[in-house]
Amino acid sequence: RGGWKAAHNSFTQVGAELGVFGLALFVYIIYRALRNYRLVIRVARASPQLRYHLWTAHGLEAAVWGYIIGGSALNHGYSPIIYYLVAMSVLAKWVTLRDKERVSNSETWARNVNRNLPWWKAPR
């Protein structure tokens, strides 16, 4: 009289099938995704030109928290949504830091150009 039994939640499922190290890696990957989104939020708050990164990071961070909460009640350890969210965190961090560098370079360029202008042509 056997049958398939489902795990209680995603973390139990991953821990039972992959062991302690697999569970630790799974939790670490989720943790790093949250850290990436927090970094994007911190960088985007500092620069008004990166506001669209701020709202994207807020929404994706909320999606990861939704997965954590939902994963505590459902066995979706291998659902692709968490891996999409992790990949998006890496891309969001990369794009935000790249755009931050571009914004700071353009501001530096504008300051240098304005410094070399005569006083009557410099923007006020």
Side-chain angles (χ1 to χ4, degrees), residues 26-121:
F26 183 69
V27 170
Y28 179 73
I29 288 171
I30 294 172
Y31 167 75
R32 284 304 304 171
L34 290 171
R35 289 273 314 254
N36 286 344
Y37 288 132
R38 296 309 300 169
L39 174 71
V40 170
I41 290 168
R42 191 170 49 251
V43 168
R45 277 189 182 149
S47 179
Q49 293 91 345
L50 301 175
R51 279 290 181 211
Y52 53 93
H53 293 283
L54 178 69
W55 297 110
T56 303
H58 274 301
L60 292 170
E61 182 189 15
V64 172
W65 282 111
Y67 176 84
I68 292 170
I69 293 168
S72 298
L74 301 170
N75 59 346
H76 287 277
Y78 303 114
S79 175
I81 186 67
I82 189 62
Y83 304 109
Y84 291 135
L85 292 171
V86 168
M88 290 296 292
S89 77
V90 172
L91 291 173
K93 178 182 173 184
W94 179 75
V95 168
T96 302
L97 293 178
R98 182 197 65 190
D99 287 354
K100 177 187 174 225
E101 185 68 28
R102 286 182 181 171
V103 166
S104 66
N105 286 343
S106 67
E107 289 172 353
T108 305
W109 179 81
R111 275 196 307 270
N112 290 338
V113 166
N114 292 337
R115 189 178 319 150
N116 295 330
L117 291 175
W119 64 270
W120 64 87
K121 290 185 178 179

